[in-house]
Amino acid sequence: MTSFVITIDGPAASGKSSVSRELSKRLLCPWVSTGSFYRGLGYVAMQMKVDLKDERKLAELAVSDIWSVHLGVEKTHVYFRGQDVTTEVHQEQAGTVASQISQYPMVRKMLLEPQRRVQSHRGLIAEGRDCGSVVYPYADLKVYLTADSEHRARRRAEEQGMVVEEVQKAQKTRDHQDLSRQTAPLQIPPGAQVVDTSHLTLLEVVDYVEGLARSFL
Ligand code: DC
């Protein structure tokens, strides 16, 4: 099979990016963090002093060519006015803003097409919150990663040198927003394979998902 889509959804810090990155190396296909679209938009809106409550302005900015998202081996990159702002966009605070603006139906609608456009003939691994349910509902394999809140907070705190309790508090707010929004909330897509990563190593999770993918590749 030349082209395929694998979606990996789940809450913050459930291991989506790490699993996608590793899997993309094994399957020799690109991967995308769809959260980068929301993070990028939130970051650009803040730089341009756009009111984060102004849905219409945010939706316009979503398709502006002053910023763009590019696939990479290690990370999904975001460029703003020609500058790589990927590091800034991946800070925990940018995640909170991304979650906030991702509530708006108009923003979600405008970001749909750019997310789908990154699909290539070599296949795609896409991670996020609504990849299997909304962005790529026709995916060949849908995975839903989960982990208990303490494990997730610990992982992110270690990655970013932050205090576990602080990260856990921010993630709780984010989880609540992502789960309870009206449009495309975080959910287990129908037909998805659910994997609890709390007590698994990255290698174990990747081996398992690779096994699932190899059955149709
Ligand atoms: O996966 P992430 O932490 O980079 O995502 C940041 C925020 O973006 C997340 O809290 C909600 C939003 N998001 C979304 O609404 N839909 C997606 N497919 C991906 C992310």
Side-chain angles (χ1 to χ4, degrees):
M1 189 183 284
T2 51
S3 190
F4 58 87
V5 177
I6 298 172
T7 59
I8 302 184
D9 290 304
S14 53
K16 302 183 301 287
S17 289
S18 309
V19 172
S20 302
R21 182 181 302 117
E22 201 48 43
L23 201 59
S24 112
K25 289 176 187 164
R26 293 192 189 183
L27 301 180
L28 302 175
C29 77
W31 73 283
V32 63
S33 139
T34 57
S36 296
F37 288 86
Y38 293 92
R39 286 172 179 266
L41 176 59
Y43 174 82
V44 171
M46 285 198 298
Q47 296 301 307
M48 304 204 45
K49 311 235 179 311
V50 168
D51 180 359
L52 297 180
K53 292 198 171 76
D54 191 335
E55 180 172 0
R56 191 169 294 274
K57 279 237 171 68
L58 288 169
E60 276 169 23
L61 199 55
V63 287
S64 158
D65 60 8
I66 57 168
W67 71 284
S68 53
V69 173
H70 300 267
L71 308 193
V73 176
E74 296 301 324
K75 275 185 181 163
T76 300
H77 288 257
V78 176
Y79 283 80
F80 172 49
R81 291 193 164 135
Q83 287 223 323
D84 188 340
V85 293
T86 310
T87 307
E88 291 85 330
V89 155
H90 279 90
Q91 304 292 325
E92 194 57 31
Q93 196 216 351
T96 305
V97 174
S99 174
Q100 206 180 316
I101 62 162
S102 71
Q103 314 294 313
Y104 298 123
M106 273 164 73
V107 165
R108 303 201 71 85
K109 189 167 172 235
M110 298 309 251
L111 287 179
L112 257 188
E113 176 54 30
Q115 287 176 84
R116 287 183 179 146
R117 222 182 294 138
V118 300
Q119 196 180 334
S120 80
H121 65 279
R122 286 181 297 141
L124 182 71
I125 299 162
E127 60 95 340
R129 302 292 184 292
D130 62 344
C131 292
S133 56
V134 176
V135 189
Y136 316 95
Y138 48 82
D140 302 275
L141 171 64
K142 299 179 185 183
V143 176
Y144 185 89
L145 294 186
T146 177
D148 60 52
S149 126
E150 205 186 316
H151 277 89
R152 291 193 285 120
R154 208 171 286 283
R155 267 182 211 157
R156 194 47 51 87
E158 272 168 25
E159 253 172 44
Q160 304 203 345
M162 292 172 74
V163 179
V164 179
E165 289 72 23
E166 269 174 29
V167 176
Q168 198 167 12
K169 200 168 152 223
Q171 281 181 354
K172 254 194 192 139
T173 310
R174 204 132 81 82
D175 285 351
H176 175 71
Q177 280 179 171
D178 294 350
L179 283 160
S180 61
R181 68 172 173 241
Q182 299 267 313
T183 314
L186 171 64
Q187 58 176 296
I188 301 176
Q193 304 281 335
V194 180
V195 186
D196 186 334
T197 68
S198 306
H199 303 287
L200 297 176
T201 63
L202 173 62
L203 217 65
E204 286 170 329
V205 181
V206 177
D207 282 348
Y208 178 69
V209 180
E210 184 186 4
L212 296 173
R214 293 282 178 208
S215 67
F216 65 84
L217 288 178

